[in-house]
Amino acid sequence: MAKPLSILFVASEIYPIAKTGGVADVAYGLPLALRDLEHDVRVMLPKYGAISERKNKIHEINRLKDIPIDIGDVREFATVKSSSIVNTRTKVQAYMTTNKPYFDSKWGLYNDPETGEEYADNDERFIFFARSVIQTCTLLGWIPQVVHVNDWHTALVAAYMRTIYAQQFKNTKIVFTIHNVSNQGVFSLKDTFHKTGLPESALENLKHKNKLNFLKAGIMYADHITTVSKTYGEQLLNDPKLTDGLNAILKARKDVFTPIINGIDTTLWTPEKDKLITKRYTLDTLDKKEDNKEALVKKFDLDYKPETPVIAMISRLVEQKGFGLLKQAADKLFKENIQIVILGEGDKDIEEWLQATAKKYPEKMGVKIGFDENLSHLMEAGSDMYLMPSLFEPCGLNQMYSFAYGSVPIVRATGGLQDTVHEFDMATKKGNGFVFEEYKSADMLDAVERALAVYKDKATWRKLVKNGMGEDHSWNNSSKKYEDVYRKILQTQANGK
Ligand code: ADP
Ligand code: GLC
């Protein structure tokens, strides 16, 4: 067997410690899956104010206290603490950067929960975090073979490792995963570059359209770049609008770019063992799913009607997720015999529209504003259908959770949705969901109507549900693909290339 690797996985959010979306789930499931493959994997994230030390069993580490870190002309101090992430099989060490002004005193991850606005010092916060990652490796005397960074928040780790700390990390390979190109970490060129403390020679690698762009640093400095689905990978290479022009820069590095579809953690997301749902069930005991449906609609103050399909959405409330389409389609949609339950938080105007619409259709629509991990599991278990009309979707995890829970996804054909959901064919009985191509409300309505038509035919619906439930979307396959990438790039170094 090949020798296990030492891997540091760095992300701005990791379930269950901190989560706003899918990155947290990936930064949990993938490291644990890599640990299952015997690697020495550790993870690192900032300790935001909302994270409880007691609940997450966070401890101090003697060697990692009061580490001086300069942000421009200001000296701040990081104290790195220890926690862990676990699943039923295994455990992974987690390092967490604490610092009062940047993290402990701020409850939100990226935005102020009071105003919804991004924190004004997000550049400093993630420069500080990146530098704390370097210091942690140095002070622990643990120089991993692979450092895997994710999205713009952690991309600067790559820049530091290939400039100021090049000598120390000369044997370390860097992988950068793009989960979402629509957030690039764009700041004022002069001010923020000064704060990074990077040498002038690095400027070109961080500069994009006369701004400082953290995501570009990841693309330029990583040894290998990945993204989270094949179709999104094509968009990243070819769509200047989606990438704000970074596609050209990525294209130049096409030979070291690999799309790898996300997996889901099947110790957490499986209706057979899920403790967060009302009644557990399997492919063979699907009737028990009905108890979850009843509990779900009641939670949303709707009447339980066994024959009425329940459609769920759990989502960050942002334009990306297709709320524009929902808005256009709402009045026609509610002419159908359906109930819709939506859980989400985000843009205030979307929140308001959802609440107003739920008031307008009190028997058909239930809305909860907020973040509720427990409820999200019941929503997968209790719904018949799951709607993701995304404008774009790098991968998407909920359609895969939906397969596992026998909730049939209705999605727009984009990114990872296109790669995982396939239109059900009445003739062959193949397919696992309903897919529409154009970002048009009429097309979305049409897909919903196709789903409703099949729903009426109980036996066929059951077949469709079973098609999805029978699929394997676990990390088993994709974690091996990441392992292949790690081994390949380490091999390149060994060959002296
Ligand atoms: P994205 O990362 O773009 O938000 P994904 O589909 O990859 O989309 O992942 C979203 C993750 O966040 C899923 O685990 C989903 O259940 C969860 N999620 C999103 N909004 C909420 C919410 N309001 N409450 C609980 N879970 C949520
Ligand atoms: C991003 C994307 C989402 C993806 C997730 C995890 O937040 O929006 O599509 O599933 O990252 O990779």
Side-chain angles (χ1 to χ4, degrees), residues 53-332:
E53 296 223 354
R54 206 169 44 85
K55 228 174 97 193
N56 291 287
K57 300 197 181 97
I58 298 173
H59 303 290
E60 301 213 321
I61 305 172
N62 279 336
R63 270 180 291 175
L64 300 180
K65 282 186 191 153
D66 299 321
I67 309 161
I69 291 177
D70 291 339
I71 304 291
D73 307 321
V74 182
R75 176 157 289 188
E76 273 295 331
F77 294 87
T79 289
V80 176
K81 298 188 177 178
S82 160
S83 181
S84 59
I85 51 170
V86 295
N87 66 17
T88 48
R89 287 191 303 270
T90 184
K91 183 172 175 171
V92 160
Q93 161 85 48
Y95 298 112
M96 305 180 67
T97 302
T98 72
N99 166 278
K100 195 138 190 243
Y102 291 140
F103 299 122
D104 299 79
S105 68
K106 293 189 165 86
W107 277 68
L109 275 62
Y110 320 115
N111 299 345
D112 184 339
E114 301 269 300
T115 61
E117 299 291 318
E118 286 181 11
Y119 288 119
D121 60 353
N122 270 350
D123 58 345
E124 295 181 25
R125 296 171 80 216
F126 291 103
I127 290 169
F128 182 83
F129 176 60
R131 301 201 80 154
S132 77
V133 173
I134 305 281
Q135 293 306 320
T136 299
C137 295
T138 306
L139 292 166
L140 288 174
W142 185 66
I143 305 296
Q145 287 169 285
V146 177
V147 169
H148 188 154
V149 292
N150 295 274
D151 276 354
W152 76 263
H153 313 87
T154 60
L156 282 194
V157 173
Y160 289 114
M161 286 191 173
R162 290 296 177 256
T163 56
I164 307 175
Y165 303 95
Q167 184 54 26
Q168 192 177 331
F169 291 97
K170 65 179 191 300
N171 294 326
T172 297
K173 291 290 169 179
I174 305 168
V175 174
F176 176 52
T177 298
I178 303 174
H179 295 267
N180 200 334
V181 81
S182 61
N183 301 316
Q184 302 186 351
V186 177
F187 302 99
S188 135
L189 192 58
K190 259 205 179 139
D191 292 354
T192 302
F193 189 69
H194 174 67
K195 290 176 193 165
T196 65
L198 287 164
E200 274 305 307
S201 59
L203 185 63
E204 278 308 306
N205 286 337
L206 273 74
K207 189 168 135 188
H208 184 60
K209 298 194 169 171
N210 232 15
K211 291 274 187 184
L212 202 75
N213 187 307
F214 281 32
L215 194 102
K216 183 178 171 187
I219 298 176
M220 297 307 288
Y221 283 110
D223 296 292
H224 208 93
I225 304 147
T226 74
T227 192
V228 292
S229 73
K230 188 164 164 285
T231 298
Y232 192 64
E234 280 152 22
Q235 285 176 280
L236 286 183
L237 290 172
N238 299 311
D239 190 337
K241 213 170 124 221
L242 180 81
T243 59
D244 194 22
L246 282 184
N247 66 306
I249 288 150
L250 189 62
K251 223 172 193 162
R253 304 217 63 206
K254 203 166 159 251
D255 52 333
V256 292
F257 178 56
T258 309
I260 301 176
I261 191 89
N262 287 331
I264 62 170
D265 188 282
T266 46
T267 66
L268 286 181
W269 291 95
T270 180
E272 191 182 353
K273 295 191 191 120
D274 193 334
K275 295 202 175 75
L276 301 173
I277 65 178
T278 302
K279 194 68 140 283
R280 299 201 265 284
Y281 58 96
T282 67
L283 234 162
D284 299 321
T285 57
L286 258 181
D287 290 344
K288 294 189 189 159
K289 184 171 163 66
E290 205 53 32
D291 294 355
N292 295 297
K293 176 166 168 173
E294 184 171 359
L296 174 63
V297 291
K298 287 188 175 156
K299 266 227 154 86
F300 278 88
D301 294 323
L302 300 172
D303 291 336
Y304 170 57
K305 300 177 185 165
E307 298 307 317
T308 301
V310 171
I311 305 178
M313 289 179 85
I314 308 157
S315 180
R316 291 185 294 117
L317 303 180
V318 291
E319 196 201 358
Q320 172 194 342
K321 300 295 177 179
F323 288 98
L325 280 195
L326 194 64
K327 205 167 172 175
Q328 286 168 27
D331 289 328
K332 282 191 182 143

Side-chain angles (χ1 to χ4, degrees), residues 5-74:
L5 304 174
S6 53
I7 305 158
L8 178 62
F9 194 94
V10 188
S12 59
E13 50 184 271
I14 303 181
Y15 176 84
I17 301 171
K19 168 167 168 177
T20 68
V23 171
D25 291 2
V26 172
Y28 169 86
L30 175 56
L32 283 161
L34 289 164
R35 180 75 201 101
D36 279 342
L37 297 173
E38 305 289 327
H39 300 297
D40 172 12
V41 196
R42 309 183 195 180
V43 300
M44 186 154 178
L45 77 163
K47 192 204 154 290
Y48 308 99
I51 299 172
S52 148
E53 296 223 354
R54 206 169 44 85
K55 228 174 97 193
N56 291 287
K57 300 197 181 97
I58 298 173
H59 303 290
E60 301 213 321
I61 305 172
N62 279 336
R63 270 180 291 175
L64 300 180
K65 282 186 191 153
D66 299 321
I67 309 161
I69 291 177
D70 291 339
I71 304 291
D73 307 321
V74 182

